[in-house]
Amino acid sequence: MYLEMKIVHVSAVTLSIGLFAYRGLLMLRRSEQLDSRVWRTLPHVVDTILLVSGLGLVFYLGGAPLQEPWLQFKLALIMLYIFVGAVALRYGKTYKIRIAALMVALLLVLLIVVTALGHAPPGL
């Protein structure tokens, strides 16, 4: 069961990152598609699968997520990524702010993936 759950989680991670990058491209192109129902709904569905599978992995392994420093760091990065990603795609007041937020969000994604793969914050 663990392997199947991990496959679902990694697949959801890949899809979530791809969807975010595509939505970022739509934002850069100032496309009206970004406001369509599909792009407002699909990422939430994928991210729900991502969250549920991640929680399933933690509980399957019997871990206490807040007792693992790398997981605490990853969760903090995810919360920051959600905030910065929202600024990039929707709430940035100017185009320049949205572009800067998109770049920061993509860097945060990289840090999240490196932390998850190494089970440690980068550089430690």
Side-chain angles (χ1 to χ4, degrees), residues 20 80-81 84-85 88 97-111:
F20 179 76
L80 185 58
Y81 161 73
V84 174
I97 289 172
R98 287 180 174 210
I99 291 172
L102 178 64
M103 296 305 128
V104 170
L106 291 172
L107 284 173
L108 287 168
V109 165
L110 179 63
L111 284 171

Side-chain angles (χ1 to χ4, degrees), residues 47-60:
D47 291 344
T48 298
I49 294 168
L50 178 60
L51 176 64
V52 170
S53 63
L55 289 172
L57 287 171
V58 168
F59 290 115
Y60 184 83

Side-chain angles (χ1 to χ4, degrees), residues 47-123:
D47 291 344
T48 298
I49 294 168
L50 178 60
L51 176 64
V52 170
S53 63
L55 289 172
L57 287 171
V58 168
F59 290 115
Y60 184 83
L61 294 174
L66 297 180
Q67 292 180 356
E68 296 288 338
W70 73 270
L71 203 45
Q72 291 174 5
F73 184 72
K74 180 181 165 192
L75 292 172
L77 288 175
I78 290 169
M79 288 187 286
L80 185 58
Y81 161 73
I82 291 168
F83 173 76
V84 174
V87 171
L89 297 179
R90 185 162 300 271
Y91 300 110
K93 295 209 186 266
T94 67
Y95 187 66
K96 286 183 180 182
I97 289 172
R98 287 180 174 210
I99 291 172
L102 178 64
M103 296 305 128
V104 170
L106 291 172
L107 284 173
L108 287 168
V109 165
L110 179 63
L111 284 171
I112 292 165
V113 170
V114 168
T115 300
L117 291 174
H119 288 202

